[in-house]
Amino acid sequence: MNYDVLVLGGGAAGLAAAVTAARQGARVVLVERHGSLGGTATTALVHTVCGLYRLHSGSAALPAHPGLPAEFAERLLACGAAAAPQRLGRLDVLPHSPPGFALVADALVSSCPSLELRLHTELIGVSIGGSAIAAVELHCRGRRTTLEPRAAVDASGDAELAALAGADLLQRPAARLQRPAFIFALQGVDVLQLDADGRIRAAALIAAAVGAGSLDPGLLGSQLRPSGRGAEVYVTLDLEGPPDYDPLAPAQLTALELRGRRLAAALLDFLRQHHPACGRAEIAAFPARVGVRESRNVLGRALVTGDDVLRGSPQPDVVALGTWPMELRERATGPRWRFPEELRPTQIPLGALRASRLDNLWTAGRCLSCDHEAQAALRVIGTCLASGQAAGAAAALQAAAGTAPDAAAVRRCTGLEVPH
């Protein structure tokens, strides 16, 4: 079965890549292991879109990315799946409903006649011909299928396609990896008592209980955030792995999921007893999977570094922007922030989206070529939409012409203007 472009992973990056490639006229297959699109925005209950807006010192949110990222935000707002952009300190975020995000993703995919979606499907094999991916093998419910794409985009988050293809990969030591997030939903909360002061009170109660030894230290830094939809509240926990933490190891992923649910149940019991907003609260939803923030990247023909983020280094072959600061979550006490000079955007070059030794493999989202510090800024959903859009355009252009495009051709597809 021949396709112009195969996209692995239906999160924000893969969704943007697949839709963009299809809109360029490519025959596209989008492969996702879960039963819905959206990635961490749906399966991990990440309920704000970060990185959609420019860093600035004003008050109004300023969209940063032309094309599909802006369109996606507009669709979320138009159908009531998102509230107005919210200012958090120096940052703007778009609060959204995870089910609404999934529905908007479904609508986008359904609007592309040349895009085939395969849910509940895993990649299990890759064949190489020369210096390119020649075929991939997929598996769904005991059935195997072989596809032969002209170009491929790895938006799996964990560089699964690149790993099976034998590409060069980047993986940091366990001690430096960003902590994974476990987000769950509460219902029956008196949100009027969980305003800013109420959330501060909750944090203080939790910290005191951890200090006294009556709560697990893993609950230190728990964040409660009303969703704006009735009595619903999202709770975010940053989980700690073992000293040899490996987010790709089945046993460790299993342990994280189990620990997240145990901590959630313990926190609910504590809040019911000690916080007036939560006396009748109950868990309404667990995530389908823990939200892994960092695992491994594909080594590309260019590497985005932390210094590039802080300086907003000009890239002659820029094809996408990152507009989120470094959000380093290596400790249980919350994130460490590092903002770029003069709030400049990070310029993502085309070479960071193309695998170093495989001519037809493109990457996007968490898979793109960057170091640990840069990944802390580029991993967010808004930037994933932007890098996915660029990778999808590049893959479609390569499939049509037989050769890799230059950055100017990709920018013409996405509408990105080179920052000055």
Side-chain angles (χ1 to χ4, degrees):
M1 300 179 70
N2 299 319
Y3 291 86
D4 295 317
V5 177
L6 173 135
V7 179
L8 182 69
L15 172 68
V19 171
T20 299
R23 288 178 174 179
Q24 291 298 313
R27 186 183 180 205
V28 181
V29 58
L30 174 58
V31 177
E32 167 56 40
R33 61 178 172 162
H34 290 287
S36 65
L37 298 170
T40 59
T42 54
T43 58
L45 299 182
V46 175
H47 45 280
T48 54
V49 181
C50 302
L52 272 178
Y53 305 104
R54 288 168 48 189
L55 291 170
H56 65 100
S57 57
S59 57
L62 303 173
H65 314 291
L68 192 66
E71 177 189 343
F72 196 86
E74 291 166 0
R75 284 175 175 252
L76 287 172
L77 289 163
C79 71
Q86 183 179 358
R87 188 73 166 170
L88 299 177
R90 290 184 282 175
L91 300 169
D92 295 295
V93 301
L94 186 70
H96 72 87
S97 156
F101 195 108
L103 289 171
V104 171
D106 289 346
L108 264 177
V109 167
S110 298
S111 71
C112 299
S114 65
L115 199 171
E116 178 183 336
L117 174 62
R118 297 193 180 196
L119 299 174
H120 298 290
T121 302
E122 294 268 8
L123 174 74
I124 59 172
V126 179
S127 299
I128 303 298
S131 60
I133 292 173
V136 300
E137 188 175 9
L138 306 178
H139 181 271
C140 178
R141 301 295 191 269
R143 295 184 179 182
R144 298 188 179 195
T145 307
T146 299
L147 309 182
E148 297 179 355
R150 292 185 175 87
V153 178
D154 190 339
S156 64
D158 296 316
E160 296 172 30
L161 175 54
L164 284 174
D168 295 324
L169 302 173
L170 299 166
Q171 188 167 359
R172 267 67 65 178
R176 299 200 69 201
L177 290 174
Q178 311 287 334
R179 285 171 175 256
F182 188 89
I183 302 173
F184 62 100
L186 294 178
Q187 272 289 359
V189 179
D190 182 354
V191 293
L192 295 178
Q193 296 193 65
L194 207 61
D195 56 8
D197 289 340
R199 294 195 296 276
I200 291 172
R201 177 181 178 183
L205 288 169
I206 292 168
V210 169
S214 57
L215 263 186
D216 191 300
L219 291 169
L220 191 67
S222 302
Q223 297 178 346
L224 286 74
R225 179 182 295 165
S227 70
R229 294 180 295 275
E232 182 183 61
V233 168
Y234 285 112
V235 185
T236 300
L237 313 176
D238 281 355
L239 301 180
E240 182 176 13
D244 63 344
Y245 171 52
D246 181 359
L248 304 170
Q252 293 199 22
L253 286 172
T254 300
L256 286 172
E257 301 284 3
L258 296 175
R259 177 162 171 75
R261 289 192 283 272
R262 285 197 299 270
L263 287 174
L267 181 61
L268 173 62
D269 184 61
F270 174 80
L271 291 174
R272 278 176 171 170
Q273 297 180 49
H274 299 285
H275 199 292
C278 300
R280 297 185 177 182
E282 59 185 39
I283 294 173
F286 280 133
R289 62 182 174 93
V290 69
V292 172
R293 291 187 172 106
E294 182 178 19
S295 56
R296 62 188 172 195
N297 306 77
V298 182
L299 178 63
R301 303 182 186 209
L303 181 76
V304 183
T305 67
D307 189 63
D308 292 328
V309 173
L310 295 178
R311 295 180 181 275
S313 305
Q315 305 286 350
D317 60 340
V318 58
V319 291
L321 301 178
T323 58
W324 194 252
M326 288 186 196
E327 183 184 350
L328 294 155
R329 288 184 175 268
E330 301 152 335
R331 306 186 183 111
T333 51
R336 291 185 296 120
W337 297 94
R338 297 187 68 188
F339 282 77
E341 298 172 2
E342 300 179 15
L343 303 182
R344 296 189 189 106
T346 303
Q347 297 191 21
I348 302 171
L350 184 63
L353 304 183
R354 192 179 184 203
S356 60
R357 293 188 296 106
L358 291 169
D359 293 338
N360 65 344
L361 176 59
W362 302 87
T363 66
R366 285 200 292 117
C367 296
L368 67 83
S369 181
C370 62
D371 68 12
H372 169 71
E373 287 75 18
Q375 198 267 352
L378 302 180
R379 62 178 171 78
V380 295
I381 294 170
T383 311
C384 288
L385 287 167
S387 65
Q389 176 178 237
L397 290 168
Q398 182 181 43
T403 58
D406 61 18
V410 173
R411 291 196 299 267
R412 284 194 292 272
C413 293
T414 64
L416 179 69
E417 296 182 2
V418 178
H420 297 292

